[in-house]
């Protein structure tokens, strides 16, 4: 039965057209992301592995694992890094999505928001696969990487994915219209890793400083993700998924509105 009974025979509905566009762009992005660069898969796995190795080395000097309550340090840090990378890549790759697919806007079926959505979905799938590799590898090495509450862990992971989408929608418009914004955002990605509690726990910070750091929505979902892996883990004071989702939904709504408002200027870039 046709999706739209009033449509002429043989004509496709808007949803069928959009689905075809997304599928074609997904295959194009997937091939480019995984096969164009022979080292693509290597860097996706090596980057978090190298950071873990570096931080384990630093831990041997400062004993950072003593600052974490009821959670082993290495699995705690792996969960935080993989969750942060999911958000970061959604934000950074969204910035280049419009410019990288500008030639496709000659087709009226393709809108500037389409490559952003497709890239975020692809990046989320790749990051999920890499995270599963780390979980399996950690279990083989005897690390406590199996989640105590799998539903909570998956919900937190999808929440971080949604935040990355919202940031990607926003940055794709902002960085396309004002290229300098893209450079600033890339510069801020490293400080954002530190203040999000990815490497060191934030609960050792002074209360007055922690109040400002928790305005950042990323620690709220990272702490929930870690709580899903370690049921007795003591999350940072002030962690709230309600606040996280208010920020995430606002970013997604604002990003979609910006795409709608500046669609003609984005196509002209």
């Amino acid at each position: 039965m046709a999706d739209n009974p009033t449509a002429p025979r043989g004509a496709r509905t808007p949803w069928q057209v959009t689905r075809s566009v997304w599928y074609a762009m997904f295959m194009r992005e997937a091939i480019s992301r995984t096969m164009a660069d022979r080292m693509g898969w290597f860097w996706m796995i090596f980057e978090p592995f190298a950071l873990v190795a570096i931080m384990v080395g630093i831990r041997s000097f400062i004993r950072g694992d003593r600052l974490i309550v009821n959670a082993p340090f290495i699995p705690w840090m792996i969960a935080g890094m993989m969750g942060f990378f999911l958000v970061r890549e959604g934000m950074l790759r969204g910035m280049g999505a419009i410019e990288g697919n500008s030639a496709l806007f000659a087709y009226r079926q393709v809108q500037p928001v389409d490559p952003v959505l497709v890239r975020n979905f692809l990046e989320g799938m790749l990051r999920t696969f890499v995270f599963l590799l780390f979980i399996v590898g950690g279990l083989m090495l005897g690390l406590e990487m199996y989640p105590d509450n799998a539903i909570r862990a998956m919900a937190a992971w999808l929440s971080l994915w949604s935040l990355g989408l919202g940031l990607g929608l926003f940055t794709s418009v902002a960085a396309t219209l004002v290229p300098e914004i893209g450079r600033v955002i890339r510069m801020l990605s490293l400080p954002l890793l530190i203040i999000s509690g990815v490497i060191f726990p934030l609960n050792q910070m002074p209360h007055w400083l922690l109040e400002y750091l928790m305005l950042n929505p990323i620690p709220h979902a990272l702490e929930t993700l870690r709580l899903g892996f370690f049921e007795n883990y003591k999350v940072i004071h002030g962690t709230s998924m309600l606040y996280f989702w208010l920020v995430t939904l606002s970013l997604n709504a604002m990003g979609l509105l910006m795409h709608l408002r500046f669609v003609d200027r984005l196509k002209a870039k």
Side-chain angles (χ1 to χ4, degrees):
M1 185 175 181
D3 293 341
N4 185 1
T6 63
R9 185 177 298 275
R12 295 193 299 171
T13 64
W15 166 241
Q16 289 175 324
V17 173
T18 301
R19 189 172 57 189
S20 298
V21 168
W22 286 352
Y23 176 75
M25 296 187 73
F26 176 81
M27 296 304 297
R28 181 175 182 265
E29 290 285 343
I31 293 173
S32 174
R33 184 82 168 87
T34 60
M35 298 183 184
D37 184 0
R38 291 180 297 177
M39 301 291 287
W41 281 105
F42 171 79
W43 287 115
M44 276 192 292
I45 298 174
F46 179 75
E47 181 184 17
F49 176 80
L51 280 176
V52 170
I54 292 172
M55 294 314 302
V56 169
I58 295 176
R59 187 196 67 166
S60 63
F61 292 98
I62 65 173
R63 302 301 298 172
D65 52 333
R66 293 180 179 176
L67 304 177
I68 303 168
V69 180
N70 297 330
F73 181 72
I74 296 178
W76 177 90
M77 188 168 55
I78 291 175
M81 283 197 303
M82 298 308 298
F84 177 81
F85 289 156
L86 179 64
V87 176
R88 188 194 68 177
E89 293 304 309
M91 176 179 65
L92 295 182
R93 295 202 174 273
M95 289 194 297
I98 295 177
E99 184 178 355
N101 294 273
S102 58
L104 299 178
F105 299 150
Y107 301 96
R108 62 183 179 83
Q109 297 92 339
V110 182
Q111 300 297 321
V113 71
D114 292 328
V116 181
L117 296 174
V118 170
R119 276 198 179 187
N120 182 269
F121 178 76
L122 174 63
E123 193 62 37
M125 295 294 292
L126 292 174
R127 289 291 164 181
T128 301
F129 178 72
V130 173
F131 192 22
L132 290 175
L133 288 181
F134 268 81
I135 292 175
V136 173
L139 291 174
M140 294 177 64
L141 294 174
L143 299 177
E144 299 178 27
M145 288 298 299
Y146 190 82
D148 293 330
N149 190 328
I151 295 178
R152 175 180 285 156
M154 287 189 291
W157 183 257
L158 292 175
S159 300
L160 289 163
W161 196 340
S162 300
L163 177 60
L165 173 60
L167 290 171
L169 289 169
F170 173 79
T171 58
S172 61
V173 177
T176 301
L177 298 180
V178 185
E180 290 76 13
I181 292 179
R183 300 188 185 98
V184 173
I185 292 174
R186 290 187 177 90
M187 291 172 56
L188 293 177
S189 62
L190 180 58
L192 189 62
L193 180 143
I194 297 173
I195 65 174
S196 296
V198 176
I199 299 175
F200 297 106
L202 296 179
N203 52 15
Q204 300 299 314
M205 297 292 181
H207 180 71
W208 65 269
L209 180 58
L210 184 61
E211 288 183 337
Y212 291 102
L213 294 178
M214 292 304 285
L215 294 175
N216 173 12
I218 299 177
H220 297 267
L222 290 185
E223 290 296 287
T224 305
L225 176 64
R226 287 161 170 161
L227 184 61
F229 275 86
F230 320 109
E231 61 181 354
N232 295 320
Y233 172 62
K234 183 176 176 58
V235 300
I236 298 173
H237 177 71
T239 298
S240 170
M241 288 304 290
L242 175 61
Y243 170 77
F244 172 88
W245 274 108
L246 287 174
V247 175
T248 299
L249 292 176
S250 298
L251 281 172
N252 277 272
M254 182 170 60
L256 290 172
L257 288 173
M258 290 174 67
H259 271 273
L260 186 63
R261 171 64 178 82
F262 299 108
V263 60
D264 294 329
R265 291 180 60 183
L266 294 175
K267 285 185 175 182
K269 283 291 182 176

